[in-house]
Amino acid sequence: MQNALYGDGGFYQRERPNRHFRTSVHASPAFAHALALVACQVDDALGHPPVMDLVDIGSGDGLLAIGVLGAVPPDLAARLRVTAVDLSSRPPGLDDRIAWTSTPPAEIAGLVVANEWLDNVPLDVAEQTPSGPRLVLVDPATGDERLGPVPDPADLAWLERWWPMCSAGASGRAGHRAEIGRPRDEAWASVMVRLTRGTAIAVDYSHHVDNRPPQGTLTGYRAGSIVPAVPDGSCDITAHVALDAVADAGERAAGGTGTVTTRLTTQREALRALGMRGVRPALALAHDDPRGYLRALSRASEEAELIDPSGLGGFGWLSQSVSAGRPEPRPRR
């Protein structure tokens, strides 16, 4: 999966996401506007610092960073230090105010957004057998699978805690599969440990420990269609995220930087809390201002898509805030 997505000639070395699937960023500018409101809230909480970070992880084409930068008030826009993080090359013509890097800044004070990033962090798949879980090995050229060795102890511990139906102690579930999310936990922890003050948000396909899918969620996408998840570099390969495990890892990683506040909800509830309703405008507006009515109708349709609980609105939304900076080191005696 790592080679197929990010190796030489890998999918994300060649392709931009919008050519293959639709994200909230591409569904409507309203998504970036909502995150601009979050940026303003974070700015208020930080006391309007001279410089505030905005970090877009898994930026793809940079559209989210562009949208937030254009939607915040001019005073905040002038103080934002915007960093787009992606392994692909910088898109041509990207706003010069946006830095393009392959890794997040070493220290971040502000807002981090990772929209549909964690689902593309590579992971291993395990299958339950009568004697316990075994790794699933795959031929990268054909997609043919066979069972391999037992997962290593750290992965077995992760399964026991976060995907127990496919753990060493589980029984009677032969054939069930689990996606070992420990690399996603570590990826998010590597972000949270950099956050000295502010908020980090991860938005993604997700599931909870009480309702893990028995066969997992590993899927391939190409040109808007679901295809077999053959790791040959020809398609996107994705799996839903155990956001509850990610949240736990984030709290542990940021615990030494200050007080951590965690909120785990859905995109629908998060955007509704930011004022998004998706309500059609009053028909009377069509008579008084036909063009204004059409604009409002289009906006309502876009908002409705973003908060649809059976679609984008059903995405998991993890928000973790650090309210104080790293403690100062104690002087040596």
Side-chain angles (χ1 to χ4, degrees):
M1 187 173 175
Q2 174 70 36
N3 288 335
L5 295 180
Y6 306 112
D8 291 341
F11 184 80
Y12 279 110
Q13 297 292 347
R14 305 187 323 271
E15 303 289 341
R16 298 292 182 190
N18 63 323
R19 299 173 185 170
H20 296 273
F21 47 86
R22 182 178 175 85
T23 71
S24 296
V25 179
H26 301 98
S28 171
F31 186 73
H33 288 192
L35 286 167
L37 291 177
V38 177
C40 291
Q41 293 172 355
V42 172
D43 184 44
D44 288 343
L46 298 183
H48 311 287
V51 177
M52 189 181 102
D53 286 305
L54 170 64
V55 181
D56 176 18
I57 300 182
S59 189
D61 52 14
L63 188 60
L64 179 60
I66 294 169
V68 175
L69 185 57
V72 296
D75 170 69
L76 178 53
R79 292 184 287 112
L80 278 183
R81 179 169 54 200
V82 186
T83 305
V85 181
D86 205 277
L87 295 178
S88 62
S89 59
R90 182 185 181 94
L94 185 67
D95 193 313
D96 290 339
R97 293 175 294 174
I98 301 174
W100 190 269
T101 69
S102 59
T103 57
E107 291 193 354
I108 302 169
L111 175 63
V112 181
V113 180
N115 182 60
E116 293 193 49
W117 169 57
L118 290 171
D119 67 291
N120 286 128
V121 172
L123 45 60
D124 286 327
V125 175
E127 182 172 312
Q128 185 71 315
T129 73
S131 59
R134 302 270 295 277
L135 291 177
V136 178
L137 305 182
V138 58
D139 185 321
T142 66
D144 293 340
E145 296 176 349
R146 65 178 175 85
L147 293 182
V150 174
D152 68 31
D155 286 340
L156 286 174
W158 189 92
L159 289 170
E160 190 72 34
R161 171 66 180 87
W162 296 109
W163 207 310
M165 72 179 187
C166 197
S167 67
S171 61
R173 300 182 177 90
H176 282 189
R177 288 191 168 188
E179 291 133 7
I180 303 172
R182 192 164 62 91
R184 277 94 180 269
D185 298 355
E186 292 172 351
W188 186 247
S190 75
V191 173
M192 290 300 297
V193 77
R194 300 166 191 256
L195 185 65
T196 58
R197 294 188 304 152
T199 297
I201 295 173
V203 185
D204 232 312
Y205 302 94
S206 67
H207 42 59
H208 188 269
V209 67
D210 295 332
N211 192 30
R212 303 287 190 221
Q215 295 301 319
T217 61
L218 195 72
T219 307
Y221 282 97
R222 185 191 303 119
S225 299
I226 295 176
V227 298
V230 179
D232 60 0
S234 69
C235 63
D236 174 39
I237 300 176
T238 177
H240 293 199
V241 182
L243 270 185
D244 46 355
V246 169
D248 181 75
E251 288 185 346
R252 287 185 282 108
T257 70
T259 302
V260 183
T261 303
T262 295
R263 182 184 182 216
L264 185 55
T265 183
T266 64
Q267 176 162 300
R268 175 181 175 84
E269 294 307 314
L271 293 183
R272 284 173 62 85
L274 292 167
M276 193 174 293
R277 292 291 182 268
V279 178
R280 292 170 61 96
L283 190 59
L285 182 62
H287 300 286
D288 300 334
D289 182 4
R291 291 184 179 179
Y293 175 79
L294 290 176
R295 288 194 298 270
L297 187 63
S298 176
R299 173 68 178 247
S301 176
E302 293 174 356
E303 290 186 353
E305 181 180 4
L306 290 173
I307 62 175
D308 179 1
S310 63
L312 295 173
F315 275 36
W317 184 292
L318 169 64
S319 175
Q320 294 190 301
S321 299
V322 177
S323 59
R326 287 185 174 87
E328 294 293 329
R330 293 181 180 178
R332 294 183 179 180
R333 295 185 180 274

